[in-house]
Amino acid sequence: MQRLGLMDYSPFDLAAMQVGDPDIDRGHESLLRVLGRLKGVGSERKGHEFELILAELGKELQTHIASEESLLTALGMPDEDVRRHLRAHSDIIENLALISFLVPRKAALSHLDIFMEVQEWIVFHFLNHDLKMRPYIACKNKGSVTPAI
């Protein structure tokens, strides 16, 4: 079982969160590593560094989402699942933009609260949206048309 290299960050088993596409899986791991750095800086109360890592996370998310959406539309998933997935991406980006706007303005949220919120959005998304792609990616990798779900 492969564990994240973020000993105090998360109990999540990285292998259990993989969808079977190497680029997407590497993107997930990269996002989790940036989240781990965000947590470390948040607990140390380094405001400017926290803002920089939050901005880095936003860029990582946008790159990852673009890659994921390009794959998502080619998998043959049901339209409603695709629409929900795309909406979830928009929600994460909008929420992160709002948080990124508030942080430098010394909003009432602590860095740890912000980290916990952002972590919840991303991990919830992995578990409730991205893992739905797994059977479709497996079929794509085998040359099949649709999974037997």
Side-chain angles (χ1 to χ4, degrees), residues 27-45:
H28 287 169
E29 184 172 358
S30 178
L31 287 167
L32 291 172
R33 290 193 189 290
V34 175
L35 270 175
R37 289 183 28 237
L38 188 67
K39 179 184 180 190
V41 175
S43 64
E44 295 171 13
R45 298 292 210 202

Side-chain angles (χ1 to χ4, degrees), residues 86-101:
L86 296 175
R87 181 65 205 156
H89 284 166
S90 295
D91 290 346
I92 288 173
I93 293 298
E94 288 172 21
N95 290 336
L96 190 60
L98 177 61
I99 289 288
S100 296
F101 174 79

Side-chain angles (χ1 to χ4, degrees), residues 8 24 27 39 44-45 49 66-67 70 77 91 95 104 108 126 132 146:
D8 64 335
I24 301 302
K39 179 184 180 190
E44 295 171 13
R45 298 292 210 202
E49 193 172 347
S67 173
S70 127
M77 291 177 69
D91 290 346
N95 290 336
F126 288 176
K132 288 182 180 178
T146 56

Side-chain angles (χ1 to χ4, degrees), residues 7 14 17-18 26 30 43 55 87 89 96 99 114 118-119 125:
M7 298 308 236
L14 184 58
M17 293 173 40
Q18 291 180 337
R26 274 192 299 275
S30 178
S43 64
R87 181 65 205 156
H89 284 166
L96 190 60
I99 289 288
I114 292 167
V118 172
Q119 173 189 248
H125 181 84

Side-chain angles (χ1 to χ4, degrees), residues 3-147:
R3 303 295 272 174
L4 293 174
L6 310 168
M7 298 308 236
D8 64 335
Y9 162 65
S10 171
F12 300 114
D13 174 7
L14 184 58
M17 293 173 40
Q18 291 180 337
V19 298
D21 180 87
D23 291 335
I24 301 302
D25 292 335
R26 274 192 299 275
H28 287 169
E29 184 172 358
S30 178
L31 287 167
L32 291 172
R33 290 193 189 290
V34 175
L35 270 175
R37 289 183 28 237
L38 188 67
K39 179 184 180 190
V41 175
S43 64
E44 295 171 13
R45 298 292 210 202
K46 295 180 179 177
H48 183 66
E49 193 172 347
F50 186 86
E51 291 172 35
L52 291 174
I53 295 172
L54 198 58
E56 179 185 345
L57 182 63
K59 289 176 188 170
E60 284 269 338
L61 267 171
Q62 289 181 347
T63 299
H64 176 71
I65 285 172
S67 173
E68 194 172 281
E69 288 182 357
S70 127
L71 174 66
L72 184 64
T73 57
L75 289 177
M77 291 177 69
D79 289 343
E80 185 59 28
D81 286 346
V82 172
R83 275 193 296 278
R84 276 192 215 115
H85 200 134
L86 296 175
R87 181 65 205 156
H89 284 166
S90 295
D91 290 346
I92 288 173
I93 293 298
E94 288 172 21
N95 290 336
L96 190 60
L98 177 61
I99 289 288
S100 296
F101 174 79
L102 293 174
V103 165
R105 287 151 186 82
K106 308 296 182 228
L109 292 172
S110 74
H111 287 168
L112 189 56
D113 289 338
I114 292 167
F115 162 77
M116 295 298 287
E117 188 74 19
V118 172
Q119 173 189 248
E120 185 176 319
W121 299 333
I122 292 172
V123 173
F124 177 88
H125 181 84
F126 288 176
L127 299 174
N128 291 285
H129 293 283
D130 292 354
L131 288 181
K132 288 182 180 178
M133 295 188 318
R134 187 185 283 166
Y136 296 91
I137 291 170
C139 284
K140 177 184 150 276
N141 291 343
K142 292 178 186 173
S144 303
V145 178
T146 56

